[in-house]
Amino acid sequence: MRTAYSVETVRAAERELMARLPEGALMARAAAGLAAVCAELLAGIRGRVYGARVVLLVGPGDNGGDALYAGARLARRGAGVTAVPMDPERMHPGGLAALRAAGGRVGDSVPRRADLVVDGLLGIGGRGGLRPAAAALAERIPAGAVVVAVDLPSGVDADTGEVSGPAVTADVTVTFGAYKPGLLTDPGASRVGAVRLVDIGLDFGDRAVAMEALQHADVAKLLPVPTASSDKYRRGVVGVVAGSEQYPGAAVLAVAGALRGGAGAVRYVGPAAEAVLARFPEVLVGRGRVQSWVVGPGLGAGREAEVGRALADADVPVLVDADGLRGLDAEVVRGRRAATLLTPHAGEAAALLGVARETVEAGRLGAVRELAGRYGAAVLLKGATTLVAPGGGGAVRVNPTGTPWLATAGSGDVLSGLAGALLAGGLGGVDAGAVAAYLHGLAGRFAAGGAPVVAQEVAGALPEAWRSVAG
């Protein structure tokens, strides 16, 4: 599992390590890792480091020091290295001395041509976007240069991924010691490029993890797999309350996600039974015993009583999506004994929080945490980076799979059915949401293959996604 830690936690681990190391040793480790990645990139660009043109954008803190020491290493290998400071009077003295001793130079403007630019303007403590002096340097990054960010792109909030002003967009981000949440969640994640983690010896022990990203092995351990003694009821029956005369396809797609997601059986409740049975004759119609409810996709207006009825089944896990989220009563949700999973997109989350959609998009991590806390339920916030937060606080899961082609009508209905099947199979709200998002993202990749895809094709690719994880 990939884990990310808050800035405060990283700083504490750094202080503990620095107390045991000679002065400057930790920065030397970081600079060596940064230089190694830059050298690898230059070898890919030019075939060698010697003769490459490297520009360092240097801020006044340790981030700038990392860039200067790394630049010195590249200069010793024959690269032409120019450091351009944000504030010439506040450059890291040791790093500056090392660069000059290696043959690097300090310039007063950004060169018009470069093979590689190192963004060392702000560190993980930066907040609020780039200030004018830093923004002016970032705006002059030469076109065509590979941009390498030191720890994270300057202007991105390391704890939240928020970008509240000008910011650097990197091709590669070299981060030290641990991932930071801002590298993994949008809008910041869209600016980091490929992330390379450099081990500098930090020990986090039992410190709280801020964010987690499941990997194949983690998902494989969570998948509910039937045994020789399983029957359809032991595998889990999903009740789907979805669809309407206007949106019958939502019911069909939610049922498809549930069936392809491992449910032993699906019970459908709603006005789209004819459409559902035409596609899936194995579906049971009408209420009965279930191990989870999926309520809301394509439900339409005026059916709040059906949402309330599902939530009132206090011992059965419930997933609430789409139209089911309208006017959702937080006290009712908080009073349930079984797992509840809410799956809004940004617009629905904004309505629940009483804010503008743009506010949610700009602060996705804060929004999903607030929703989970307000409703005391797991919340899956859909988007370019899907987040899953636990109702009781703790690490937020970020989904590493997916493709932009999943932004298509009905894709979320498939996801809801899939997560409902995982709830019925015994997973808790956070695990069901995170595993569903992971498989859904993989299915989207497999179905799309780099081309447009429709939701029913995503559902059809779920078995392939399952097999790829289960091995």
Side-chain angles (χ1 to χ4, degrees), residues 11-416:
R11 292 296 195 214
E14 288 177 341
R15 288 192 296 270
E16 288 184 3
L17 182 57
M18 284 190 289
R20 303 194 300 270
L21 294 175
E23 185 176 355
L26 193 61
M27 182 172 286
R29 290 181 182 180
L34 174 61
V37 173
C38 290
E40 180 184 327
L41 293 169
L42 289 171
I45 296 167
R46 298 177 55 92
R48 59 182 182 176
V49 175
Y50 186 87
R53 295 163 296 190
V54 177
V55 175
L56 314 176
L57 304 183
V58 181
D62 288 348
N63 197 255
D66 295 332
L68 289 166
Y69 278 116
R73 287 175 173 266
L74 296 173
R76 286 197 294 270
R77 296 182 60 176
V81 182
T82 301
V84 184
M86 185 170 70
D87 182 349
E89 302 301 318
R90 298 174 61 202
M91 298 178 73
H92 189 280
L96 177 59
L99 179 69
R100 283 178 165 157
R105 59 182 290 271
V106 177
D108 55 9
S109 63
V110 179
R112 297 178 63 181
R113 298 176 64 191
D115 298 304
L116 186 143
V117 174
V118 176
D119 163 30
L121 292 169
L122 295 179
I124 59 176
R127 295 288 187 273
L130 296 177
R131 302 299 184 265
L137 295 182
E139 289 171 358
R140 292 176 173 80
I141 292 175
V146 173
V147 179
V148 179
V150 181
D151 229 359
L152 84 163
S154 296
V156 174
D157 189 298
D159 276 336
T160 67
E162 294 179 17
V163 180
S164 54
V168 171
T169 298
D171 298 296
V172 177
T173 296
V174 180
T175 199
F176 306 125
Y179 294 98
K180 289 80 184 176
L183 298 172
L184 303 179
T185 185
D186 279 329
S190 65
R191 292 179 175 267
V192 305
V195 180
R196 302 284 292 273
L197 176 64
V198 172
D199 183 4
I200 56 174
L202 299 184
D203 181 4
F204 292 96
D206 58 358
R207 289 185 171 94
V209 174
M211 184 170 279
E212 302 170 334
L214 298 181
Q215 306 296 296
H216 262 39
D218 305 306
V219 176
K221 291 177 182 177
L222 291 169
L223 291 177
V225 179
T227 65
S229 61
S230 296
D231 58 30
K232 62 187 177 186
Y233 297 106
R234 289 189 178 94
R235 288 181 58 189
V237 180
V238 181
V240 175
V241 183
S244 58
E245 291 183 4
Q246 187 177 6
Y247 305 113
V252 173
L253 292 168
V255 167
L259 289 171
R260 294 294 192 180
V266 172
R267 287 188 176 276
Y268 174 71
V269 179
E274 185 175 342
V276 169
L277 289 173
R279 182 69 184 278
F280 301 109
E282 62 269 42
V283 170
L284 311 172
V285 174
R287 291 186 178 273
R289 184 165 62 114
V290 298
Q291 279 74 52
S292 75
W293 286 107
V294 172
V295 57
L299 203 62
R303 296 172 65 188
E304 293 81 3
E306 296 186 59
V307 180
R309 185 171 179 178
L311 291 171
D313 201 347
D315 295 316
V316 176
V318 175
L319 179 148
V320 187
D321 184 33
D323 293 332
L325 296 166
R326 293 177 183 171
L328 194 63
D329 190 322
E331 291 305 313
V332 170
V333 176
R334 294 184 70 86
R336 302 190 73 252
R337 291 184 292 273
T340 307
L341 174 61
L342 313 180
T343 60
H345 57 53
E348 292 157 348
L352 290 172
L353 292 171
V355 300
R357 181 181 183 128
E358 293 76 17
T359 301
V360 172
E361 293 286 20
R364 292 177 57 79
L365 185 54
V368 75
R369 282 174 170 158
E370 184 175 351
L371 274 175
R374 182 176 299 187
Y375 285 87
V379 176
L380 183 156
L381 179 58
K382 293 177 280 195
T385 51
T386 292
L387 303 175
V388 186
V396 172
R397 296 262 177 90
V398 58
N399 183 51
T401 66
T403 167
W405 294 115
L406 277 171
T408 186
S411 175
D413 303 331
V414 174
L415 176 63
S416 292

